[in-house]
Amino acid sequence: MKNKKTVQNKRKKSVISDSDSFSIGADSNIGQDVIIGKFTSIGKSVTVGKNSILGQNVTIADGVIIGDNCEIQNNVCLPEGVICGDNILIGHSTVLTAIHYPHRITNIQSKREQMVTRINNGVKIGANATIICGVEIGMFAFISSASIITNDVRPYAGYRDWE
């Protein structure tokens, strides 16, 4: 990357894209040597670990936690309630949902309940996967491209282990 810009955030230096087309919310803690792509939006009180890469057009909602050495590729949205461990790869255009029961028949209170989606250390998620909120993906699991994850995935699971 040429013409890298550096910002001071919580007394740490972070490597930023060569564009001014990104935003970082208040009280967010961006680790050292984080690369942020164009048109990326980081909400309030977000934590991004050191040496992580956030691709272009990534949206990170308020309160999301991302560990060290993670790569969130282009066009990914991480809604509230997502907790990512260290050394995670989330492929291009992966969808993580924010509401578990989006139907009109559920009451308003259940729609507002925040469901935690936990992605543990070492997980690799292929492009265009869909992950329903409230699941836990175990350590070092591999989610293949275009998968739809509706239940917890056990640690070290391969892409065929839950079929």
Side-chain angles (χ1 to χ4, degrees):
M1 290 173 35
K2 49 190 169 185
N3 300 327
K4 291 180 184 172
K5 294 184 181 178
T6 303
V7 296
Q8 200 72 6
N9 189 324
K10 298 269 186 185
R11 293 176 296 237
K12 297 177 186 173
K13 289 188 176 180
S14 300
V15 178
I16 303 299
S17 69
D18 52 352
S19 165
D20 289 329
S21 302
F22 61 86
S23 65
I24 300 175
D27 297 324
S28 289
N29 187 2
I30 309 300
Q32 192 169 8
D33 297 328
V34 172
I35 298 172
I36 301 175
K38 295 178 183 178
F39 312 118
T40 291
S41 175
I42 299 173
K44 293 183 261 179
S45 301
V46 170
T47 300
V48 179
K50 64 183 178 184
N51 300 317
S52 293
I53 300 171
L54 306 176
Q56 292 185 34
N57 199 34
V58 171
T59 302
I60 301 174
D62 298 345
V64 169
I65 298 170
I66 299 171
D68 297 339
N69 306 307
C70 292
E71 183 174 352
I72 313 297
Q73 295 182 337
N74 299 348
N75 304 314
V76 173
C77 177
L78 300 179
E80 287 184 50
V82 172
I83 300 172
C84 297
D86 298 333
N87 304 307
I88 290 174
L89 170 70
I90 299 179
H92 297 281
S93 302
T94 293
V95 175
L96 286 90
T97 66
I99 299 173
H100 193 73
Y101 301 105
H103 305 296
R104 285 184 161 178
I105 58 173
T106 59
N107 66 29
I108 299 300
Q109 188 61 35
S110 69
K111 286 185 180 181
R112 292 188 181 143
E113 290 175 9
Q114 181 176 339
M115 299 188 77
V116 174
T117 302
R118 186 174 306 277
I119 303 172
N120 288 299
N121 295 345
V123 169
K124 306 299 182 223
I125 301 173
N128 293 311
T130 300
I131 300 170
I132 304 302
C133 65
V135 301
E136 180 171 356
I137 301 176
M139 293 179 12
F140 300 102
F142 173 75
I143 309 296
S144 65
S145 296
S147 294
I148 300 173
I149 304 301
T150 58
N151 296 310
D152 291 349
V153 176
R154 63 184 173 77
Y156 302 97
Y159 68 98
R160 295 202 178 268
D161 288 344
W162 56 82
E163 294 181 336

